Amino acid sequence: GATTTGSASGATTTGSVSGATTAGSVSGTTAAGSGATTAAASPQTTSGQPGSVVTTPPPAPVYTHEVSMKVNLAYTLAEFTANRDRIIAAFASAANVLASQVTMTATEIPGRRRILATSVDVDVKVKTASQAAATTVTSALTADNINAALTTQSLTAATIVDAPTVSEITVEDTTTPTGAGSTLTSSASVSLLACLLVTARAMVLQ
């Protein structure tokens, strides 16, 4: 039974209280006089630094072949430089590759006569991950496809100077041949041992 004491403004209950008891430590707020405990939601904890997200970057692509071609654009070198990103984007679109696969080098060609405006010859290179992909890019880089992509970028049309060709990308081997370092080390060891023997013999003779 419960014994109730207190004033008219509120009651204090002592004695046995009937209710549910939750084992363990509960974080939250307790409703006064009701005997009910409302637990607060606990945030999820992940390993590592709080709030940090660890991402693993994808491996860099390995390119094995390269498509090379030369085109002429009716731009000055300064105009080409100003529009370089859009020109690359147009060629990437025509070849159906990423813009990061396309590189360009421009050379200004002065007009030989007054009626001929200055233009640039542009060496275009497109890297691919296989021979088959390079062949596909070669077929895609036609004058029609290139100029349609340039028109989409509001750029002047191009004239193909050298048609696309495919070459294999060679990677220079900079590793040290196996045994080269060990041979040098062995020779140095032999020389050092010989010097020590000569020195020891000289000390004995003294």
Side-chain angles (χ1 to χ4, degrees):
T3 301
T4 303
T5 62
S7 62
S9 61
T12 302
T13 304
T14 60
S16 175
V17 179
S18 176
T21 302
T22 303
S25 175
V26 179
S27 175
T29 59
T30 304
S34 64
T37 302
T38 304
S42 300
Q44 294 183 349
T45 303
T46 57
S47 58
Q49 295 296 327
S52 63
V53 178
V54 179
T55 59
T56 302
V62 177
Y63 297 120
T64 59
H65 291 76
E66 186 175 70
V67 178
S68 302
M69 69 181 303
K70 181 181 288 186
V71 300
N72 182 267
L73 294 169
Y75 287 128
T76 64
L77 186 58
E79 290 170 338
F80 170 82
T81 302
N83 293 285
R84 184 189 193 93
D85 291 343
R86 289 197 296 153
I87 296 172
I88 288 177
F91 274 79
S93 176
N96 196 27
V97 298
L98 299 175
S100 59
Q101 294 175 241
V102 182
T103 58
M104 292 184 174
T105 304
T107 304
E108 191 170 74
I109 309 297
R112 294 181 179 84
R113 292 175 295 180
R114 290 184 179 180
I115 61 174
L116 295 177
T118 300
S119 63
V120 288
D121 278 349
V122 183
D123 292 309
V124 182
K125 296 184 183 298
V126 182
K127 295 180 180 180
T128 65
S130 67
Q131 172 74 48
T135 301
T136 301
V137 168
T138 300
S139 300
L141 288 176
T142 63
D144 289 341
N145 289 344
I146 291 172
N147 288 328
L150 288 170
T151 300
T152 301
Q153 294 285 343
S154 300
L155 297 167
T156 186
T159 301
I160 294 179
V161 178
D162 294 329
T165 57
V166 178
S167 61
E168 188 173 355
I169 297 175
T170 57
V171 180
E172 183 179 356
D173 187 4
T174 58
T175 58
T176 303
T178 304
S182 60
T183 301
L184 179 61
T185 302
S186 298
S187 300
S189 298
V190 171
S191 299
L192 179 60
L193 181 59
C195 291
L196 291 175
L197 290 175
V198 171
T199 303
R201 177 174 295 180
M203 293 176 64
V204 171
L205 291 177
Q206 290 178 354

